[in-house]
Amino acid sequence: MATSQVSMFLNVLVTASLLYLLPHACHSLSLKPCSFDSIYQLGDSIADTGNLIRESALGATFCSQFPYGETFFKNATGRCCDGLLIIDFVALAANLPFLNPYLQREADFSNGVNFAVSGATALPSSFLASYNIVNPFTNSSLDVQLRWMQTYFNSTCTTQKDCAVKLKNALFFVGEIGGNDINYALLQARKSIEDVKTTLIPPIIRTIKDAIAKVISLGATRVVVPGIFPNGCLPVYLTGLKTNEMTAYDELNCLRKVNNLSMYQNDLLQQAIRELNQETPNAVIVYADYYNAFLSVFRNGALLGFDASSLQKSCCGIGGDYNFDQARFCGSPGVPVCPNPNRSISWDGIHLTQKTYGLISQRVVLDILPKLQCILSK
């Protein structure tokens, strides 16, 4: 076996052993050197801990019913997962409580607030509508979440200086966001990949860049900005853009052009982060590589305990080659759930299982900890 193969194999074994006891594993991946006392999250369903279900009647049906939450909470909380999300694992690593959603007005926000909304886009609904793209779930795009954040800080800080002091040891997550803009364009509006690349991705990146600058102006000094996943590996895309053209798929049986689009968006996002780090030397902005963290799990699925025969199938779903049907979504009457979500990468065809999110969190925390420069700032 070549040296590189041995190294990869050992890395997988170590990762698998560290994560065997999920969700407790992220305690071993501690963010304690940073001494974070709060976390503030902007984003979409990858991070929403209960805002959409409180926002609208539609939210009361999306990710709000059992079997969502079955693995950890034993009931649906508004998380689009069978259990914990990446931000939950990050909170565990920082030794902080799980973040309460902003719209849970009676909640305790002493350790941070989650402003993320399932279905949210980076671009405002009005902008998307000008391209005949409709968000069917929420109008709480990134600009709306930023207004919520500013309103919250206006109510808890007496002055800008007071906010800077209170947020000195806070961690901010701006995203993952911008994935839904692409989802709605490709899967609903049926835009071409080239059209999305030229007309949507540049304004998405500008919007996210402006949002990062905004949170820094509010007092953030440590900001994590995740990229999007390789969407071409997800059941929703594999079903919605299924083709008989074999060259459309890569060596992992993922849609090649969709993944290339995700990489392009992530590359532009990283460029924007580099520019902002030069423009704002008093803050540290770190890219979180969700794309390659997911691929690491996907490539080594069998070694990590996933069912090798159903790596691209939904655990909770029905129909077709990928166990996914948009018209009969997880939680709908008659839609079955796999007996062990820990054997599946995908939970409902769009979102991932708790185990997958835990594995991704493992890699992300290891990657961002030194880049956050916490020890140097003490």
Side-chain angles (χ1 to χ4, degrees), residues 275-308:
E275 293 169 358
L276 278 171
N277 271 318
Q278 292 180 339
E279 297 165 8
T280 55
N282 294 327
V284 176
I285 310 162
V286 174
Y287 176 73
D289 192 355
Y290 284 11
Y291 185 100
N292 283 303
F294 175 93
L295 280 186
S296 178
V297 174
F298 190 75
R299 289 179 188 276
N300 300 294
L303 285 170
L304 292 168
F306 295 105
D307 181 355

Side-chain angles (χ1 to χ4, degrees), residues 19-86:
L19 287 158
Y20 182 75
L21 295 176
L22 282 173
H24 305 290
C26 273
H27 286 297
S28 65
L29 295 174
S30 179
L31 286 171
K32 289 180 182 178
C34 294
S35 300
F36 292 127
D37 56 17
S38 56
I39 302 175
Y40 297 93
Q41 170 82 61
L42 302 164
D44 56 24
S45 58
I46 305 302
D48 183 6
T49 56
N51 280 314
L52 182 64
I53 65 171
R54 293 173 170 83
E55 183 182 63
S56 67
L58 179 61
T61 61
F62 186 70
C63 300
S64 65
Q65 302 177 21
F66 206 75
Y68 285 91
E70 70 168 29
T71 299
F72 186 83
F73 298 98
K74 307 306 178 185
N75 65 279
T77 64
R79 290 168 172 81
C80 292
C81 180
D82 62 308
L84 301 180
L85 307 174
I86 293 173

Side-chain angles (χ1 to χ4, degrees), residues 181-323:
D181 307 61
I182 308 304
N183 297 344
Y184 302 147
L186 291 178
L187 296 174
Q188 294 181 14
R190 293 294 173 175
K191 302 291 184 181
S192 70
I193 285 180
E194 189 59 35
D195 190 13
V196 168
K197 184 176 181 179
T198 57
T199 63
L200 279 188
I201 290 183
I204 287 172
I205 299 304
R206 287 195 297 271
T207 300
I208 297 173
K209 185 178 180 181
D210 290 345
I212 299 166
K214 179 63 176 179
V215 300
I216 291 172
S217 74
L218 293 173
T221 59
R222 296 288 184 278
V223 184
V224 175
V225 185
I228 62 175
F229 293 119
N231 290 327
C233 297
L234 302 179
V236 61
Y237 272 94
L238 292 165
T239 299
L241 300 182
K242 186 178 179 181
T243 175
N244 292 325
E245 181 56 58
M246 296 308 297
T247 58
Y249 299 90
D250 62 18
E251 73 281 4
L252 298 174
N253 294 315
C254 301
L255 288 164
R256 190 186 308 275
K257 289 185 178 180
V258 176
N259 279 359
N260 287 342
L261 187 68
S262 297
M263 285 192 286
Y264 177 74
Q265 183 167 335
N266 288 337
D267 287 344
L268 290 188
L269 181 60
Q270 291 175 78
Q271 179 181 330
I273 291 171
R274 287 192 292 269
E275 293 169 358
L276 278 171
N277 271 318
Q278 292 180 339
E279 297 165 8
T280 55
N282 294 327
V284 176
I285 310 162
V286 174
Y287 176 73
D289 192 355
Y290 284 11
Y291 185 100
N292 283 303
F294 175 93
L295 280 186
S296 178
V297 174
F298 190 75
R299 289 179 188 276
N300 300 294
L303 285 170
L304 292 168
F306 295 105
D307 181 355
S309 66
S310 58
L311 294 179
Q312 291 176 309
K313 293 183 179 181
S314 305
C315 167
C316 181
I318 191 171
D321 293 337
Y322 305 101
N323 205 35

Side-chain angles (χ1 to χ4, degrees), residues 86-107:
I86 293 173
I87 191 59
D88 294 317
F89 286 105
V90 169
L92 287 173
N95 199 30
L96 292 173
F98 298 143
L99 296 186
N100 287 315
Y102 175 70
L103 296 181
Q104 187 180 348
R105 301 302 188 187
E106 73 283 4

